[in-house]
């Protein structure tokens, strides 16, 4: 099989998984309308606009370069999804990266499936088409899960069922999804620490329980003092905030751990020989020194 035929086969598989039909069904405009509730049309890139508050990055990395090369040679094999905008043009629901790659590849149009869907349905399509990408940052998953959670609530799905549904569709545990939703409440500065790996997800979840003002104070303390935070410390800070006792000083009291000074004293054996009987063992000498120091301490130590 030639490379072009292999790519074509991959395209058929992708179309089939998206539309639920064969290549012949997809390429037939009448059947396509019935299968996807919309048409596949070539839309000028200038008419494709980003989804409002889109949480996923579109970056010029190695994978983007590979996508650009593929589009230059074969075009966009799998169409994106968009919905009409009241002000004209289309809002991208799926295909932000493909649109950017098409632009870099010098294309003027991109194949899109046009769907007329509600705001909540648009959010679900947008999140589900991106959430399983491997390279997502915690902040991207946090915002995406939060948006989907709210959309499901608007559709009448209660909290517990929403978490279970989201977890099943994303292939993650419900508790993990819930943690990411909590992370979405972090201020931008603390969220960046999580993205950069300087703050753990568990710690981030603890800090998401703080008010915005408390989070900003905490961030300044962490930034200026260059603190790392353990799960025990983040838990204590969360409890301090719940008790209404959150202050810069109380945070420092948790973060500043004074380690006891380890003393190690060595003696020159020759200097000690004149003070102790040669028959005394090291244990005997240590015991005698401690007893003499205790007596010295009882007399008040150094004058």
């Amino acid at each position: 099989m030639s490379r072009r035929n292999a790519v074509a086969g991959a395209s058929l598989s992708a179309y089939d998984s998206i539309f639920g039909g064969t290549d012949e069904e997809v390429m037939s405009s009448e059947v396509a309308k019935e299968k996807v509730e919309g048409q596949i049309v070539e839309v000028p890139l200038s008419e494709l606009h980003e989804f409002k508050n889109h949480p996923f990055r579109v970056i010029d990395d190695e994978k983007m370069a590979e996508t650009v090369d593929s589009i230059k040679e074969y075009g966009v094999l799998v169409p994106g999804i968009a919905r009409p905008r009241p002000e004209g043009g289309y809002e991208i629901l799926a295909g932000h990266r493909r649109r950017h790659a098409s632009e870099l590849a010098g294309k003027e149009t991109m194949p899109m499936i046009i769907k007329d869907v509600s705001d909540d349905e648009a959010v679900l399509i947008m999140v589900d088409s991106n959430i399983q990408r491997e390279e997502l940052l915690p902040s991207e998953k946090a915002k995406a899960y939060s948006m989907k959670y709210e959309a499901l609530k608007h559709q009448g799905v209660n909290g517990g069922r929403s978490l279970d549904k989201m977890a099943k569709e994303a292939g993650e545990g419900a508790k993990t999804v819930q943690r990411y939703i909590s992370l979405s409440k972090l201020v931008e500065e603390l969220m960046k620490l999580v993205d950069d790996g300087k703050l753990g997800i568990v710690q981030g979840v603890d800090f998401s329980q703080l008010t915005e003002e408390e989070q900003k104070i905490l961030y300044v303390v962490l930034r200026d003092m260059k603190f790392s935070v353990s799960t025990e410390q983040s838990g204590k800070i969360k409890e301090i905030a719940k008790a209404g006792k959150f202050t810069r000083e109380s945070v420092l009291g948790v973060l500043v751990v004074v380690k006891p000074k380890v003393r190690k004293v060595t003696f020159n054996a020759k200097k000690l020989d004149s003070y102790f009987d040669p028959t005394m063992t090291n244990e005997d000498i240590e015991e005698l020194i401690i007893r003499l120091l205790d007596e010295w301490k009882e007399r008040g130590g150094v004058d």
Side-chain angles (χ1 to χ4, degrees):
M1 180 183 292
S2 70
R3 181 180 178 188
R4 183 174 295 275
N5 288 337
V7 172
S11 175
L12 296 184
S13 175
Y15 270 77
D16 190 39
S17 65
I18 292 175
F19 307 139
T22 64
D23 183 46
E24 288 77 14
E25 289 174 327
V26 171
M27 300 315 292
S28 168
S29 60
E30 291 304 315
V31 177
K33 289 178 184 179
E34 179 182 349
K35 288 286 183 182
V36 304
E37 302 174 358
Q39 299 182 38
I40 303 174
V41 295
E42 287 290 333
V43 179
L45 299 183
S46 60
E47 293 186 16
L48 294 174
H49 304 276
E50 284 194 1
F51 192 93
K52 185 179 180 181
N53 297 323
H54 187 258
F56 302 106
R57 296 170 300 159
V58 176
I59 55 177
D60 293 326
D61 56 5
E62 185 177 342
K63 288 188 176 180
M64 179 61 71
E66 293 173 355
T67 303
V68 171
D69 289 342
S70 175
I71 290 176
K72 284 181 178 179
E73 187 168 0
Y74 305 111
V76 176
L77 298 177
V78 179
I81 305 174
R83 66 172 180 169
R85 297 198 318 162
E87 60 269 52
Y90 301 90
E91 182 179 39
I92 303 172
L93 308 185
H96 290 81
R97 296 183 76 257
R98 277 165 282 171
R99 185 212 178 280
H100 182 63
S102 295
E103 190 172 42
L104 294 178
K107 303 294 184 179
E108 295 184 355
T109 64
M110 174 178 162
M112 302 293 293
I113 302 169
I114 307 303
K115 286 180 171 285
D116 190 5
V117 295
S118 68
D119 291 345
D120 290 334
E121 290 170 328
V123 167
L124 298 182
I125 293 172
M126 182 273 296
V127 172
D128 289 344
S129 64
N130 286 279
I131 199 62
Q132 293 187 355
R133 281 163 42 194
E134 295 180 357
E135 71 280 8
L136 294 180
L137 292 173
S139 59
E140 294 177 282
K141 297 182 77 170
K143 188 173 180 181
Y145 279 139
S146 179
M147 292 175 73
K148 183 173 181 178
Y149 184 73
E150 291 301 317
L152 289 173
K153 281 204 306 182
H154 294 162
Q155 293 184 338
V157 184
N158 66 33
R161 285 176 53 209
S162 294
L163 290 175
D164 290 340
K165 177 179 174 61
M166 292 168 62
K168 183 177 180 180
E169 292 174 350
E172 298 200 81
K175 189 171 183 179
T176 298
V177 172
Q178 189 172 33
R179 283 178 173 173
Y180 279 114
I181 293 173
S182 296
L183 281 182
S184 68
K185 301 173 185 175
L186 283 178
V187 296
E188 184 179 346
E189 295 87 349
L190 288 178
M191 190 70 251
K192 189 173 188 310
L193 293 183
V194 177
D195 280 344
D196 293 343
K198 297 178 181 178
L199 193 65
I201 287 180
V202 174
Q203 291 92 317
V205 171
D206 283 340
F207 294 153
S208 71
Q209 309 302 309
L210 277 56
T211 66
E212 183 176 338
E213 181 181 356
E214 289 169 344
Q215 289 187 43
K216 288 183 177 293
I217 292 172
L218 173 64
Y219 169 72
V220 172
V221 172
L222 297 177
R223 180 198 65 191
D224 293 348
M225 306 299 289
K226 293 182 173 58
F227 282 116
S228 59
V229 185
S230 68
T231 54
E232 181 182 2
Q233 289 171 323
S234 66
K236 287 182 179 179
I237 291 173
K238 179 180 70 174
E239 293 305 316
I240 287 173
K242 280 186 178 179
K245 298 179 180 180
F246 184 97
T247 62
R248 184 178 185 277
E249 289 69 28
S250 66
V251 170
L252 285 169
V254 173
L255 295 176
V256 178
V257 180
V258 180
K259 295 182 180 179
K261 185 181 294 185
V262 178
R263 295 184 183 276
K264 185 176 181 181
V265 180
T266 57
F267 292 95
N268 186 303
K270 290 184 179 180
K271 290 182 179 180
L272 293 178
D273 284 345
S274 60
Y275 295 99
F276 301 103
D277 189 293
T279 61
M280 293 179 69
T281 65
N282 290 338
E283 289 75 15
D284 293 334
I285 294 174
E286 181 179 345
E287 183 179 346
L288 176 57
I289 291 174
I290 294 300
R291 188 170 72 248
L292 292 172
L293 288 173
D294 285 340
E295 293 175 0
W296 171 76
K297 184 177 180 181
E298 289 177 2
R299 293 198 302 270
V302 179
D303 292 334

